[in-house]
Amino acid sequence: SQQGEEDPQALSIQEGENATMNCSYKTSINNLQWYRQNSGRGLVHLILIRSNEREKHSGRLRVTLDTSKKSSSLLITASRAADTASYFCATATSGGSNYKLTFGKGTLLTVNP
Amino acid sequence: NAGVTQTPKFQVLKTGQSMTLQCAQDMNHEYMSWYRQDPGMGLRLIHYSVGAGITDQGEVPNGYNVSRSTTEDFPLRLLSAAPSQTSVYFCASRPGATRTEAFFGQGTRLTVV
């Protein structure tokens, strides 16, 4: 079964507004990552937060991680039409020396001009 | 530096046919994975490899074979295509266990009729 579940499934906002997406997961993780996918394209890595971190920033992106609740959120500030895409969380779990990277079902973000 | 290259981009197969989806990376990454993406299902892990000669099953391995004879290449074989294998397939690579950001190819859209 899939590890991460994003919420909401779809989000529509106006340009300039902030967008918040949430991710919940089930088992212990090494780190959690967020990816972006433009329509018809491959996924692009956005940001990684390790299990011992609580918050991380990268440009207009802010990610939080609450390991006690097994949840993470991605905040995109001052959104632009070009931010329209699907956003996925992915969790890296460790099993010996092997790391699986498993993805959620994604949030489709639409930013209206 | 091409990154992760998948071929073909599009393919139509008849039920029962076999084919190989190609994936090559030029970043000397240890880890490579195959995912399938279906509407409403997100990305599901098919098979993965942690180095040449080492492969393991993911979440949905049935009907697929993989091998990893070189660091660069990780082909995915469909043994006897079925309509349920209609999907978009993504290959991804990662540097290794200590860095888990994934780099994705552009995908192969496969239709089985």
Side-chain angles (χ1 to χ4, degrees):
Chain A
S1 62
Q2 289 176 278
Q3 167 77 309
E5 292 288 340
E6 291 90 344
D7 172 64
Q9 290 186 337
L11 179 62
S12 181
I13 60 174
Q14 295 300 121
E15 212 165 21
E17 293 180 340
N18 295 341
T20 299
M21 290 158 268
N22 303 297
C23 171
S24 59
Y25 58 92
K26 299 173 184 173
T27 63
S28 296
I29 60 172
N30 178 275
N31 63 69
L32 186 143
Q33 304 172 37
W34 285 91
Y35 289 78
R36 166 192 169 128
Q37 183 182 34
N38 289 90
S39 181
R41 308 298 297 269
L43 280 73
V44 175
H45 180 262
L46 294 176
I47 192 166
L48 178 153
I49 186 165
R50 303 196 184 281
S51 59
N52 60 354
E53 297 176 311
R54 292 297 167 257
E55 187 171 314
K56 202 160 183 180
H57 297 253
S58 176
R60 292 186 295 114
L61 305 180
R62 172 178 168 254
V63 171
T64 61
L65 179 64
D66 187 335
T67 53
S68 67
K69 295 181 179 178
K70 292 186 168 58
S71 67
S72 172
S73 67
L74 171 67
L75 169 67
I76 303 174
T77 60
S79 63
R80 306 165 182 167
D83 293 329
T84 294
S86 291
Y87 292 82
F88 294 85
C89 69
T91 50
T93 56
S94 60
S97 62
N98 302 328
Y99 289 87
K100 289 186 182 181
L101 193 60
T102 55
F103 288 79
K105 297 180 181 180
T107 292
L108 176 60
L109 172 66
T110 303
V111 181
N112 302 298
Chain B
N1 190 333
V4 180
T5 302
Q6 289 184 238
T7 56
K9 286 186 171 53
F10 302 93
Q11 182 70 48
V12 178
L13 286 180
K14 294 183 179 178
T15 297
Q17 285 185 320
S18 62
M19 80 159 293
T20 299
L21 278 62
Q22 301 292 344
C23 176
Q25 53 94 5
D26 60 0
M27 297 173 283
N28 202 33
H29 286 174
E30 290 182 60
Y31 287 24
M32 296 185 76
S33 304
W34 276 101
Y35 294 87
R36 60 177 289 172
Q37 185 176 31
D38 302 292
M41 298 295 293
L43 278 82
R44 292 182 290 171
L45 182 64
I46 304 172
H47 286 284
Y48 67 101
S49 169
V50 298
I54 307 170
T55 64
D56 205 348
Q57 296 181 349
E59 185 184 357
V60 288
N62 293 341
Y64 307 95
N65 273 0
V66 292
S67 60
R68 184 96 179 269
S69 56
T70 67
T71 300
E72 295 78 19
D73 299 301
F74 190 44
L76 178 72
R77 297 182 187 84
L78 280 70
L79 309 173
S80 177
S84 61
Q85 294 179 304
T86 293
S87 187
V88 182
Y89 291 84
F90 287 99
C91 178
S93 72
R94 288 184 280 147
T98 57
R99 284 186 57 197
T100 55
E101 303 97 309
F103 296 77
F104 280 80
Q106 291 302 298
T108 295
R109 185 173 294 274
L110 176 68
T111 302
V112 183
V113 298

